[in-house]
Amino acid sequence: MSWDLVVIGQGYVGLPVSQHAVLNGLSVAGLELNTQTVAQLNAGHSHIGDVSNSDVQNMLSRGYVATGDLEVLAEAETIVICVPTPLGDSGAPDLSAVESAVRSIATRLRPGALVVLESTTYPGTTDDLVLPLLEASGKRVGEDFYLAFSPERIDPGNETYGLKNTPKVVGGVTKESTRRAADFYGRFVDSVVEVKGAKEAETAKLLENTYRHINIALVNEMSKFCHELDIDLWEVIDAAKTKPFGFQAFYPGPGVGGHCIPIDPNYLSFEVRKKLGYPFRFVELAEEINNSMPGYIVRRIQDLLNVDAIALRGSKVLLLGVTYKANIADQRESPATDIAEILDRAGAVVSYNDPYVPEWGFSDKRLVSEIDISEAASSADVVVLLQQHQIYDVGALSIISKRLFDTRGASRDSSAHRL
């Protein structure tokens, strides 16, 4: 069988790509090495929040198949790589999954096929890593196959912008590769933006998230000194954003999380150091500030308890919301984990509530979400709002809690303590 598209990786990025392609009439195979995920998808069950069970069942009815068989690559007109690219223990990008995927493609590539890398990486990966691996067997780009990079822009839980109506940036290693990638995405994405090459497309993704990373660090740093100077930073931000030009509001919080902000800027910093021999100081400073927030949150909790001569050790701390973003179940890189671990080492008794996370763990602890939030809040020494899920009535919580520490600026009650 011939496939219009094979998507390598069926996670937070790959499954939505498969979904939108199949809904627009393309024949799609989702290549996934996790056998449990393959079985789950083929049974009509989704494992990510933005794609429901009924969505997967609809995909299956239109011909979608999840598979672990690498031979589907030989039957694909287009192959899109959506595999994880985490940071390794040394802080360097771990591209082993990308490299493994490309090696699998190289020995099976059909003539004229288009290969697109969507996994976030450092500038030059498509030209310097992917291209040589594909050409190692004697095939040549522009003659035997086409190669491009198109950064994923999936924003989990975003009800306004999804894959279809978010402009898709594409940059090929040749002009014809760019054109073919643009034509491919144009079949199921409203707007495609062509750039000079793959390096420009790779760097655009990193710029987007570095911009956010640095601006979040700015307001996180401001939150610390505004607290010391008795300045309400939330009021400051509300006032500043009334300016209709030259300002975009960013908000402080307990740290950064998710699949992009804590990771992507480090790819750019890594490449600058490796290729040019000097640091990307903005990124490294932002990393330092944002990584300091969990420790700062715990110090603020301790300060609240100290006012009433209560020790942090032995105190009951209830954490509300342990996901990295509101109203989703995604916990990747959530600062809640670091906060819980610091509290646990200090001897606090940590509990949590999160309607999206029934079970949660940190260090060697495994916890179950508190069912009765009112009872849990009233019995805790301090309640800490880490994520502003819609289900939380912050006004009511500020009344029933002995102490409410709001890290998201959700409360307006004077009895709550805001970051």
Side-chain angles (χ1 to χ4, degrees), residues 154-188:
I154 300 294
D155 185 19
N158 192 322
E159 297 180 359
T160 302
Y161 291 104
L163 191 148
K164 180 175 172 55
N165 65 346
T166 300
K168 200 82 172 77
V169 173
V170 297
V173 299
T174 65
K175 288 184 177 179
E176 182 62 14
S177 294
T178 301
R179 187 189 69 79
R180 290 189 179 229
D183 288 346
F184 163 71
Y185 283 110
R187 298 174 71 178
F188 56 92

PDB file of all heavy atoms in Angstrom, residues 154-188:
ATOM      1  N   ILE A 154       2.529  23.445  18.149  1.00  0.00           N
ATOM      2  CA  ILE A 154       1.399  22.922  18.915  1.00  0.00           C
ATOM      3  C   ILE A 154       1.378  23.570  20.296  1.00  0.00           C
ATOM      4  O   ILE A 154       2.385  23.595  21.004  1.00  0.00           O
ATOM      5  CB  ILE A 154       1.491  21.389  19.059  1.00  0.00           C
ATOM      6  CG1 ILE A 154       1.480  20.716  17.677  1.00  0.00           C
ATOM      7  CG2 ILE A 154       0.358  20.866  19.927  1.00  0.00           C
ATOM      8  CD1 ILE A 154       0.196  20.874  16.912  1.00  0.00           C
ATOM      9  N   ASP A 155       0.237  24.095  20.688  1.00  0.00           N
ATOM     10  CA  ASP A 155       0.056  24.711  21.999  1.00  0.00           C
ATOM     11  C   ASP A 155      -1.039  23.947  22.734  1.00  0.00           C
ATOM     12  O   ASP A 155      -2.229  24.234  22.559  1.00  0.00           O
ATOM     13  CB  ASP A 155      -0.326  26.187  21.838  1.00  0.00           C
ATOM     14  CG  ASP A 155      -0.411  26.922  23.173  1.00  0.00           C
ATOM     15  OD1 ASP A 155       0.152  26.417  24.154  1.00  0.00           O
ATOM     16  OD2 ASP A 155      -1.038  27.992  23.223  1.00  0.00           O
ATOM     17  N   PRO A 156      -0.671  22.942  23.545  1.00  0.00           N
ATOM     18  CA  PRO A 156      -1.687  22.105  24.196  1.00  0.00           C
ATOM     19  C   PRO A 156      -2.712  22.931  24.962  1.00  0.00           C
ATOM     20  O   PRO A 156      -2.382  23.867  25.682  1.00  0.00           O
ATOM     21  CB  PRO A 156      -0.854  21.245  25.163  1.00  0.00           C
ATOM     22  CG  PRO A 156       0.489  21.167  24.523  1.00  0.00           C
ATOM     23  CD  PRO A 156       0.694  22.522  23.902  1.00  0.00           C
ATOM     24  N   GLY A 157      -3.976  22.588  24.752  1.00  0.00           N
ATOM     25  CA  GLY A 157      -5.060  23.242  25.471  1.00  0.00           C
ATOM     26  C   GLY A 157      -5.537  24.550  24.872  1.00  0.00           C
ATOM     27  O   GLY A 157      -6.500  25.141  25.366  1.00  0.00           O
ATOM     28  N   ASN A 158      -4.886  25.016  23.810  1.00  0.00           N
ATOM     29  CA  ASN A 158      -5.288  26.276  23.184  1.00  0.00           C
ATOM     30  C   ASN A 158      -6.536  26.038  22.347  1.00  0.00           C
ATOM     31  O   ASN A 158      -6.498  25.317  21.341  1.00  0.00           O
ATOM     32  CB  ASN A 158      -4.158  26.826  22.315  1.00  0.00           C
ATOM     33  CG  ASN A 158      -4.385  28.268  21.875  1.00  0.00           C
ATOM     34  OD1 ASN A 158      -5.509  28.672  21.576  1.00  0.00           O
ATOM     35  ND2 ASN A 158      -3.319  29.034  21.830  1.00  0.00           N
ATOM     36  N   GLU A 159      -7.648  26.650  22.749  1.00  0.00           N
ATOM     37  CA  GLU A 159      -8.919  26.431  22.057  1.00  0.00           C
ATOM     38  C   GLU A 159      -9.101  27.378  20.872  1.00  0.00           C
ATOM     39  O   GLU A 159     -10.055  27.236  20.106  1.00  0.00           O
ATOM     40  CB  GLU A 159     -10.073  26.589  23.046  1.00  0.00           C
ATOM     41  CG  GLU A 159     -10.055  25.555  24.168  1.00  0.00           C
ATOM     42  CD  GLU A 159     -11.206  25.712  25.136  1.00  0.00           C
ATOM     43  OE1 GLU A 159     -12.014  26.652  24.943  1.00  0.00           O
ATOM     44  OE2 GLU A 159     -11.310  24.918  26.096  1.00  0.00           O
ATOM     45  N   THR A 160      -8.209  28.349  20.718  1.00  0.00           N
ATOM     46  CA  THR A 160      -8.319  29.309  19.623  1.00  0.00           C
ATOM     47  C   THR A 160      -7.435  28.929  18.442  1.00  0.00           C
ATOM     48  O   THR A 160      -7.873  28.938  17.290  1.00  0.00           O
ATOM     49  CB  THR A 160      -7.944  30.729  20.103  1.00  0.00           C
ATOM     50  OG1 THR A 160      -8.799  31.086  21.192  1.00  0.00           O
ATOM     51  CG2 THR A 160      -8.097  31.747  18.984  1.00  0.00           C
ATOM     52  N   TYR A 161      -6.186  28.584  18.740  1.00  0.00           N
ATOM     53  CA  TYR A 161      -5.235  28.274  17.673  1.00  0.00           C
ATOM     54  C   TYR A 161      -4.782  26.819  17.753  1.00  0.00           C
ATOM     55  O   TYR A 161      -4.268  26.370  18.770  1.00  0.00           O
ATOM     56  CB  TYR A 161      -4.024  29.200  17.750  1.00  0.00           C
ATOM     57  CG  TYR A 161      -4.359  30.627  17.396  1.00  0.00           C
ATOM     58  CD1 TYR A 161      -4.476  31.600  18.389  1.00  0.00           C
ATOM     59  CD2 TYR A 161      -4.580  31.002  16.075  1.00  0.00           C
ATOM     60  CE1 TYR A 161      -4.805  32.912  18.068  1.00  0.00           C
ATOM     61  CE2 TYR A 161      -4.907  32.309  15.748  1.00  0.00           C
ATOM     62  CZ  TYR A 161      -5.016  33.258  16.743  1.00  0.00           C
ATOM     63  OH  TYR A 161      -5.354  34.545  16.417  1.00  0.00           O
ATOM     64  N   GLY A 162      -5.010  26.127  16.650  1.00  0.00           N
ATOM     65  CA  GLY A 162      -4.552  24.756  16.514  1.00  0.00           C
ATOM     66  C   GLY A 162      -3.658  24.631  15.302  1.00  0.00           C
ATOM     67  O   GLY A 162      -3.214  25.624  14.717  1.00  0.00           O
ATOM     68  N   LEU A 163      -3.409  23.403  14.889  1.00  0.00           N
ATOM     69  CA  LEU A 163      -2.497  23.183  13.766  1.00  0.00           C
ATOM     70  C   LEU A 163      -3.014  23.817  12.479  1.00  0.00           C
ATOM     71  O   LEU A 163      -2.248  24.406  11.718  1.00  0.00           O
ATOM     72  CB  LEU A 163      -2.281  21.679  13.574  1.00  0.00           C
ATOM     73  CG  LEU A 163      -1.160  21.259  12.623  1.00  0.00           C
ATOM     74  CD1 LEU A 163      -0.544  19.951  13.069  1.00  0.00           C
ATOM     75  CD2 LEU A 163      -1.636  21.135  11.183  1.00  0.00           C
ATOM     76  N   LYS A 164      -4.311  23.758  12.246  1.00  0.00           N
ATOM     77  CA  LYS A 164      -4.868  24.226  10.979  1.00  0.00           C
ATOM     78  C   LYS A 164      -4.757  25.738  10.806  1.00  0.00           C
ATOM     79  O   LYS A 164      -4.398  26.221   9.713  1.00  0.00           O
ATOM     80  CB  LYS A 164      -6.331  23.799  10.858  1.00  0.00           C
ATOM     81  CG  LYS A 164      -6.995  24.266   9.553  1.00  0.00           C
ATOM     82  CD  LYS A 164      -8.406  23.713   9.436  1.00  0.00           C
ATOM     83  CE  LYS A 164      -9.145  24.328   8.244  1.00  0.00           C
ATOM     84  NZ  LYS A 164      -8.413  24.153   6.980  1.00  0.00           N
ATOM     85  N   ASN A 165      -5.032  26.517  11.843  1.00  0.00           N
ATOM     86  CA  ASN A 165      -5.085  27.972  11.671  1.00  0.00           C
ATOM     87  C   ASN A 165      -3.862  28.696  12.244  1.00  0.00           C
ATOM     88  O   ASN A 165      -3.861  29.922  12.354  1.00  0.00           O
ATOM     89  CB  ASN A 165      -6.364  28.556  12.274  1.00  0.00           C
ATOM     90  CG  ASN A 165      -6.448  28.401  13.780  1.00  0.00           C
ATOM     91  OD1 ASN A 165      -5.695  27.651  14.375  1.00  0.00           O
ATOM     92  ND2 ASN A 165      -7.376  29.108  14.395  1.00  0.00           N
ATOM     93  N   THR A 166      -2.821  27.943  12.607  1.00  0.00           N
ATOM     94  CA  THR A 166      -1.551  28.548  12.994  1.00  0.00           C
ATOM     95  C   THR A 166      -0.613  28.501  11.791  1.00  0.00           C
ATOM     96  O   THR A 166      -0.358  27.411  11.256  1.00  0.00           O
ATOM     97  CB  THR A 166      -0.906  27.802  14.173  1.00  0.00           C
ATOM     98  OG1 THR A 166      -1.796  27.834  15.299  1.00  0.00           O
ATOM     99  CG2 THR A 166       0.425  28.427  14.551  1.00  0.00           C
ATOM    100  N   PRO A 167      -0.108  29.649  11.325  1.00  0.00           N
ATOM    101  CA  PRO A 167       0.770  29.641  10.145  1.00  0.00           C
ATOM    102  C   PRO A 167       1.917  28.652  10.302  1.00  0.00           C
ATOM    103  O   PRO A 167       2.522  28.540  11.365  1.00  0.00           O
ATOM    104  CB  PRO A 167       1.273  31.087  10.076  1.00  0.00           C
ATOM    105  CG  PRO A 167       0.167  31.880  10.696  1.00  0.00           C
ATOM    106  CD  PRO A 167      -0.359  31.023  11.816  1.00  0.00           C
ATOM    107  N   LYS A 168       2.214  27.941   9.222  1.00  0.00           N
ATOM    108  CA  LYS A 168       3.249  26.890   9.226  1.00  0.00           C
ATOM    109  C   LYS A 168       4.487  27.389   8.499  1.00  0.00           C
ATOM    110  O   LYS A 168       4.443  27.701   7.306  1.00  0.00           O
ATOM    111  CB  LYS A 168       2.701  25.640   8.515  1.00  0.00           C
ATOM    112  CG  LYS A 168       3.458  24.369   8.882  1.00  0.00           C
ATOM    113  CD  LYS A 168       2.957  23.821  10.190  1.00  0.00           C
ATOM    114  CE  LYS A 168       3.537  22.446  10.515  1.00  0.00           C
ATOM    115  NZ  LYS A 168       4.922  22.503  11.011  1.00  0.00           N
ATOM    116  N   VAL A 169       5.581  27.509   9.228  1.00  0.00           N
ATOM    117  CA  VAL A 169       6.851  27.929   8.644  1.00  0.00           C
ATOM    118  C   VAL A 169       7.546  26.727   8.026  1.00  0.00           C
ATOM    119  O   VAL A 169       7.615  25.658   8.648  1.00  0.00           O
ATOM    120  CB  VAL A 169       7.752  28.568   9.718  1.00  0.00           C
ATOM    121  CG1 VAL A 169       9.142  28.861   9.160  1.00  0.00           C
ATOM    122  CG2 VAL A 169       7.116  29.842  10.258  1.00  0.00           C
ATOM    123  N   VAL A 170       8.058  26.875   6.799  1.00  0.00           N
ATOM    124  CA  VAL A 170       8.806  25.792   6.151  1.00  0.00           C
ATOM    125  C   VAL A 170      10.066  26.351   5.518  1.00  0.00           C
ATOM    126  O   VAL A 170      10.059  27.441   4.941  1.00  0.00           O
ATOM    127  CB  VAL A 170       7.974  25.047   5.081  1.00  0.00           C
ATOM    128  CG1 VAL A 170       6.775  24.362   5.689  1.00  0.00           C
ATOM    129  CG2 VAL A 170       7.544  25.979   3.958  1.00  0.00           C
ATOM    130  N   GLY A 171      11.143  25.593   5.648  1.00  0.00           N
ATOM    131  CA  GLY A 171      12.398  25.953   5.005  1.00  0.00           C
ATOM    132  C   GLY A 171      13.111  24.701   4.548  1.00  0.00           C
ATOM    133  O   GLY A 171      13.401  23.820   5.366  1.00  0.00           O
ATOM    134  N   GLY A 172      13.369  24.591   3.252  1.00  0.00           N
ATOM    135  CA  GLY A 172      14.026  23.406   2.717  1.00  0.00           C
ATOM    136  C   GLY A 172      15.517  23.594   2.529  1.00  0.00           C
ATOM    137  O   GLY A 172      16.023  24.720   2.546  1.00  0.00           O
ATOM    138  N   VAL A 173      16.230  22.493   2.332  1.00  0.00           N
ATOM    139  CA  VAL A 173      17.666  22.586   2.069  1.00  0.00           C
ATOM    140  C   VAL A 173      17.916  22.950   0.612  1.00  0.00           C
ATOM    141  O   VAL A 173      19.048  23.297   0.248  1.00  0.00           O
ATOM    142  CB  VAL A 173      18.393  21.275   2.440  1.00  0.00           C
ATOM    143  CG1 VAL A 173      18.236  20.970   3.923  1.00  0.00           C
ATOM    144  CG2 VAL A 173      17.882  20.110   1.613  1.00  0.00           C
ATOM    145  N   THR A 174      16.875  22.875  -0.208  1.00  0.00           N
ATOM    146  CA  THR A 174      16.894  23.394  -1.579  1.00  0.00           C
ATOM    147  C   THR A 174      15.588  24.143  -1.816  1.00  0.00           C
ATOM    148  O   THR A 174      14.620  23.958  -1.072  1.00  0.00           O
ATOM    149  CB  THR A 174      17.014  22.265  -2.619  1.00  0.00           C
ATOM    150  OG1 THR A 174      15.825  21.447  -2.561  1.00  0.00           O
ATOM    151  CG2 THR A 174      18.240  21.392  -2.375  1.00  0.00           C
ATOM    152  N   LYS A 175      15.566  24.990  -2.849  1.00  0.00           N
ATOM    153  CA  LYS A 175      14.345  25.739  -3.150  1.00  0.00           C
ATOM    154  C   LYS A 175      13.192  24.802  -3.487  1.00  0.00           C
ATOM    155  O   LYS A 175      12.050  25.026  -3.090  1.00  0.00           O
ATOM    156  CB  LYS A 175      14.586  26.709  -4.304  1.00  0.00           C
ATOM    157  CG  LYS A 175      15.458  27.898  -3.936  1.00  0.00           C
ATOM    158  CD  LYS A 175      15.569  28.876  -5.098  1.00  0.00           C
ATOM    159  CE  LYS A 175      16.393  30.091  -4.696  1.00  0.00           C
ATOM    160  NZ  LYS A 175      16.538  31.066  -5.813  1.00  0.00           N
ATOM    161  N   GLU A 176      13.495  23.740  -4.219  1.00  0.00           N
ATOM    162  CA  GLU A 176      12.437  22.801  -4.588  1.00  0.00           C
ATOM    163  C   GLU A 176      11.919  22.058  -3.360  1.00  0.00           C
ATOM    164  O   GLU A 176      10.721  21.763  -3.259  1.00  0.00           O
ATOM    165  CB  GLU A 176      12.948  21.802  -5.628  1.00  0.00           C
ATOM    166  CG  GLU A 176      11.910  20.798  -6.111  1.00  0.00           C
ATOM    167  CD  GLU A 176      10.708  21.429  -6.819  1.00  0.00           C
ATOM    168  OE1 GLU A 176      10.759  22.617  -7.188  1.00  0.00           O
ATOM    169  OE2 GLU A 176       9.698  20.720  -7.001  1.00  0.00           O
ATOM    170  N   SER A 177      12.806  21.792  -2.405  1.00  0.00           N
ATOM    171  CA  SER A 177      12.373  21.154  -1.157  1.00  0.00           C
ATOM    172  C   SER A 177      11.417  22.064  -0.407  1.00  0.00           C
ATOM    173  O   SER A 177      10.403  21.608   0.148  1.00  0.00           O
ATOM    174  CB  SER A 177      13.582  20.835  -0.273  1.00  0.00           C
ATOM    175  OG  SER A 177      14.413  19.850  -0.847  1.00  0.00           O
ATOM    176  N   THR A 178      11.717  23.369  -0.370  1.00  0.00           N
ATOM    177  CA  THR A 178      10.825  24.326   0.273  1.00  0.00           C
ATOM    178  C   THR A 178       9.463  24.334  -0.400  1.00  0.00           C
ATOM    179  O   THR A 178       8.420  24.308   0.267  1.00  0.00           O
ATOM    180  CB  THR A 178      11.428  25.742   0.240  1.00  0.00           C
ATOM    181  OG1 THR A 178      12.691  25.742   0.897  1.00  0.00           O
ATOM    182  CG2 THR A 178      10.512  26.748   0.926  1.00  0.00           C
ATOM    183  N   ARG A 179       9.478  24.373  -1.724  1.00  0.00           N
ATOM    184  CA  ARG A 179       8.209  24.424  -2.475  1.00  0.00           C
ATOM    185  C   ARG A 179       7.378  23.175  -2.210  1.00  0.00           C
ATOM    186  O   ARG A 179       6.163  23.265  -1.994  1.00  0.00           O
ATOM    187  CB  ARG A 179       8.485  24.573  -3.969  1.00  0.00           C
ATOM    188  CG  ARG A 179       7.218  24.797  -4.799  1.00  0.00           C
ATOM    189  CD  ARG A 179       7.480  24.726  -6.286  1.00  0.00           C
ATOM    190  NE  ARG A 179       7.819  23.377  -6.714  1.00  0.00           N
ATOM    191  CZ  ARG A 179       6.909  22.409  -6.919  1.00  0.00           C
ATOM    192  NH1 ARG A 179       5.630  22.649  -6.675  1.00  0.00           N
ATOM    193  NH2 ARG A 179       7.296  21.224  -7.333  1.00  0.00           N
ATOM    194  N   ARG A 180       8.023  22.023  -2.232  1.00  0.00           N
ATOM    195  CA  ARG A 180       7.279  20.776  -2.036  1.00  0.00           C
ATOM    196  C   ARG A 180       6.729  20.675  -0.615  1.00  0.00           C
ATOM    197  O   ARG A 180       5.613  20.197  -0.402  1.00  0.00           O
ATOM    198  CB  ARG A 180       8.169  19.577  -2.358  1.00  0.00           C
ATOM    199  CG  ARG A 180       8.466  19.479  -3.858  1.00  0.00           C
ATOM    200  CD  ARG A 180       9.145  18.191  -4.220  1.00  0.00           C
ATOM    201  NE  ARG A 180       9.391  18.147  -5.666  1.00  0.00           N
ATOM    202  CZ  ARG A 180       9.087  17.120  -6.462  1.00  0.00           C
ATOM    203  NH1 ARG A 180       8.503  16.047  -5.941  1.00  0.00           N
ATOM    204  NH2 ARG A 180       9.353  17.159  -7.745  1.00  0.00           N
ATOM    205  N   ALA A 181       7.515  21.136   0.363  1.00  0.00           N
ATOM    206  CA  ALA A 181       7.029  21.125   1.745  1.00  0.00           C
ATOM    207  C   ALA A 181       5.850  22.076   1.898  1.00  0.00           C
ATOM    208  O   ALA A 181       4.865  21.768   2.590  1.00  0.00           O
ATOM    209  CB  ALA A 181       8.150  21.503   2.706  1.00  0.00           C
ATOM    210  N   ALA A 182       5.935  23.248   1.258  1.00  0.00           N
ATOM    211  CA  ALA A 182       4.832  24.216   1.325  1.00  0.00           C
ATOM    212  C   ALA A 182       3.577  23.646   0.680  1.00  0.00           C
ATOM    213  O   ALA A 182       2.463  23.814   1.204  1.00  0.00           O
ATOM    214  CB  ALA A 182       5.238  25.516   0.645  1.00  0.00           C
ATOM    215  N   ASP A 183       3.737  22.978  -0.443  1.00  0.00           N
ATOM    216  CA  ASP A 183       2.583  22.360  -1.115  1.00  0.00           C
ATOM    217  C   ASP A 183       1.964  21.280  -0.241  1.00  0.00           C
ATOM    218  O   ASP A 183       0.727  21.158  -0.161  1.00  0.00           O
ATOM    219  CB  ASP A 183       3.009  21.757  -2.464  1.00  0.00           C
ATOM    220  CG  ASP A 183       3.301  22.814  -3.511  1.00  0.00           C
ATOM    221  OD1 ASP A 183       2.934  23.990  -3.294  1.00  0.00           O
ATOM    222  OD2 ASP A 183       3.912  22.465  -4.542  1.00  0.00           O
ATOM    223  N   PHE A 184       2.819  20.498   0.421  1.00  0.00           N
ATOM    224  CA  PHE A 184       2.313  19.429   1.287  1.00  0.00           C
ATOM    225  C   PHE A 184       1.491  19.997   2.436  1.00  0.00           C
ATOM    226  O   PHE A 184       0.338  19.599   2.644  1.00  0.00           O
ATOM    227  CB  PHE A 184       3.483  18.592   1.818  1.00  0.00           C
ATOM    228  CG  PHE A 184       3.113  17.739   3.006  1.00  0.00           C
ATOM    229  CD1 PHE A 184       2.287  16.632   2.852  1.00  0.00           C
ATOM    230  CD2 PHE A 184       3.572  18.055   4.285  1.00  0.00           C
ATOM    231  CE1 PHE A 184       1.924  15.848   3.943  1.00  0.00           C
ATOM    232  CE2 PHE A 184       3.218  17.284   5.376  1.00  0.00           C
ATOM    233  CZ  PHE A 184       2.397  16.177   5.207  1.00  0.00           C
ATOM    234  N   TYR A 185       2.049  20.927   3.193  1.00  0.00           N
ATOM    235  CA  TYR A 185       1.331  21.480   4.346  1.00  0.00           C
ATOM    236  C   TYR A 185       0.109  22.295   3.917  1.00  0.00           C
ATOM    237  O   TYR A 185      -0.879  22.393   4.668  1.00  0.00           O
ATOM    238  CB  TYR A 185       2.257  22.323   5.217  1.00  0.00           C
ATOM    239  CG  TYR A 185       3.175  21.505   6.079  1.00  0.00           C
ATOM    240  CD1 TYR A 185       4.540  21.456   5.826  1.00  0.00           C
ATOM    241  CD2 TYR A 185       2.686  20.760   7.145  1.00  0.00           C
ATOM    242  CE1 TYR A 185       5.395  20.694   6.618  1.00  0.00           C
ATOM    243  CE2 TYR A 185       3.525  19.991   7.944  1.00  0.00           C
ATOM    244  CZ  TYR A 185       4.884  19.956   7.670  1.00  0.00           C
ATOM    245  OH  TYR A 185       5.713  19.193   8.454  1.00  0.00           O
ATOM    246  N   GLY A 186       0.178  22.858   2.729  1.00  0.00           N
ATOM    247  CA  GLY A 186      -0.951  23.625   2.218  1.00  0.00           C
ATOM    248  C   GLY A 186      -2.201  22.797   2.019  1.00  0.00           C
ATOM    249  O   GLY A 186      -3.305  23.342   1.884  1.00  0.00           O
ATOM    250  N   ARG A 187      -2.071  21.486   2.054  1.00  0.00           N
ATOM    251  CA  ARG A 187      -3.224  20.604   1.892  1.00  0.00           C
ATOM    252  C   ARG A 187      -4.087  20.538   3.151  1.00  0.00           C
ATOM    253  O   ARG A 187      -5.256  20.154   3.077  1.00  0.00           O
ATOM    254  CB  ARG A 187      -2.759  19.192   1.497  1.00  0.00           C
ATOM    255  CG  ARG A 187      -2.025  19.156   0.162  1.00  0.00           C
ATOM    256  CD  ARG A 187      -1.443  17.794  -0.144  1.00  0.00           C
ATOM    257  NE  ARG A 187      -2.462  16.804  -0.471  1.00  0.00           N
ATOM    258  CZ  ARG A 187      -2.185  15.547  -0.817  1.00  0.00           C
ATOM    259  NH1 ARG A 187      -0.919  15.135  -0.871  1.00  0.00           N
ATOM    260  NH2 ARG A 187      -3.163  14.707  -1.093  1.00  0.00           N
ATOM    261  N   PHE A 188      -3.517  20.936   4.311  1.00  0.00           N
ATOM    262  CA  PHE A 188      -4.329  20.876   5.534  1.00  0.00           C
ATOM    263  C   PHE A 188      -4.039  21.997   6.532  1.00  0.00           C
ATOM    264  O   PHE A 188      -4.580  21.993   7.637  1.00  0.00           O
ATOM    265  CB  PHE A 188      -4.190  19.509   6.226  1.00  0.00           C
ATOM    266  CG  PHE A 188      -2.785  19.096   6.570  1.00  0.00           C
ATOM    267  CD1 PHE A 188      -2.243  19.387   7.815  1.00  0.00           C
ATOM    268  CD2 PHE A 188      -1.997  18.408   5.653  1.00  0.00           C
ATOM    269  CE1 PHE A 188      -0.961  18.989   8.145  1.00  0.00           C
ATOM    270  CE2 PHE A 188      -0.714  18.008   5.965  1.00  0.00           C
ATOM    271  CZ  PHE A 188      -0.192  18.296   7.216  1.00  0.00           C
TER     272      PHE A 188
END
